[in-house]
Amino acid sequence: MNPAKRLEIFTRFRNANPHPTTELEYTTPFELLIAVLLSAQSTDVGVNKATRRLYPVANTPQAILDLGLDELKTYISTIGLYNNKAKNVIATCEILVNQYGGEVPRSREALEALPGVGRKTANVVLNTAFGEPTMAVDTHIFRAANRTRIAPGKNVDEVEMKLLKFVPKDFLHDAHHWLILHGRYTCVARTPKCWNCIINDLCEYKDKTPAPKDA
């Protein structure tokens, strides 16, 4: 895919959605960090339902530590893998309180050292909470980047590096949100909605889905 085509793709994304953001609900970097940590192999909708109950009661590292592991589990038990996630949340809160004064660190190394926080989670926090031009590649972005040929790669790390290289700099901060939303709602896994896609004529996917008869 040539640079002119990529530029037009992201121009269209921006025109359609000038201020994209995560669908996870949060008001502080800590709330975002915990929400992303909880979202692994879970939906944003499911995480939001849990955090709407949890955050009014405990939305700081110390408050969650005061809540305790067993009580925390009662708030997040509707989320997949909640037992392990609860242990990671408690361990993360202990580190934040003991090493960072209860604040979320702004470095990738420090974030990735937190229990349950991998590169993708760190990228989301750095981008969404702190405004850094990072690229958090999840399954939606991986699929969309490969299918459209915006940034094809064999694994998430390769796609991340290519997106950081190929996405025009003016669009880099918001690109991961646009691509997630595109993969989540239009360039879906089984039957992409090519007939309802704003970049249909630019996308290099060969087997575009025709419009259904009732569309």
Side-chain angles (χ1 to χ4, degrees):
M1 181 175 285
N2 63 55
K5 193 178 284 189
R6 288 194 189 93
L7 178 62
E8 177 60 21
I9 284 172
F10 285 100
T11 298
R12 290 186 190 181
F13 282 152
R14 183 167 64 186
N15 289 342
N17 185 4
H19 305 291
T21 189
T22 178
E23 293 186 317
L24 291 169
E25 296 171 358
Y26 74 99
T27 58
T28 65
F30 175 73
E31 287 185 359
L32 177 64
L33 171 64
I34 298 306
V36 181
L37 194 156
L38 294 175
S39 72
Q41 300 181 50
S42 303
T43 66
D44 289 359
V45 172
V47 172
N48 288 338
K49 286 181 180 178
T51 57
R52 283 174 199 155
R53 295 186 297 117
L54 172 64
Y55 288 161
V57 176
N59 70 338
T60 67
Q62 188 59 59
I64 286 181
L65 290 178
D66 292 343
L67 205 61
L69 179 63
D70 291 339
E71 189 69 13
L72 173 61
K73 288 181 181 180
T74 67
Y75 286 95
I76 66 171
S77 60
T78 53
I79 298 174
L81 307 174
Y82 75 93
N83 280 308
N84 194 50
K85 289 176 181 178
K87 292 176 184 177
N88 285 335
V89 168
I90 292 293
T92 286
C93 289
E94 287 175 345
I95 292 172
L96 294 179
V97 168
N98 294 330
Q99 297 184 26
Y100 300 103
E103 298 296 319
V104 176
R106 297 187 62 153
S107 80
R108 175 186 302 284
E109 294 74 21
L111 286 168
E112 290 187 16
L114 297 172
V117 176
R119 185 176 182 86
K120 186 186 77 172
T121 298
N123 278 336
V124 172
V125 173
L126 289 170
N127 178 279
T128 306
F130 299 131
E132 304 215 2
T134 58
M135 191 65 60
V137 179
D138 67 353
T139 55
H140 298 300
I141 291 183
F142 183 78
R143 179 177 62 254
N146 273 288
R147 187 183 275 161
T148 61
R149 310 303 289 174
I150 290 172
K154 295 178 182 178
N155 53 57
V156 293
D157 290 339
E158 188 176 343
V159 169
E160 179 185 340
M161 293 304 109
K162 284 191 175 182
L163 285 169
L164 290 172
K165 179 180 178 181
F166 293 142
V167 174
K169 285 186 170 55
D170 288 348
F171 299 90
L172 196 53
H173 176 262
D174 293 324
H176 115 263
H177 293 302
W178 288 318
L179 289 169
I180 283 177
L181 294 170
H182 187 64
R184 184 173 287 167
Y185 297 111
T186 302
C187 199
V188 295
R190 292 188 178 180
T191 308
K193 301 175 184 178
C194 303
W195 70 91
N196 194 37
C197 174
I198 63 173
I199 62 167
N200 184 303
D201 56 315
L202 301 168
C203 168
E204 296 182 0
Y205 180 51
K206 293 180 180 179
D207 302 316
K208 289 188 171 70
T209 310
K213 293 180 181 179
D214 59 349

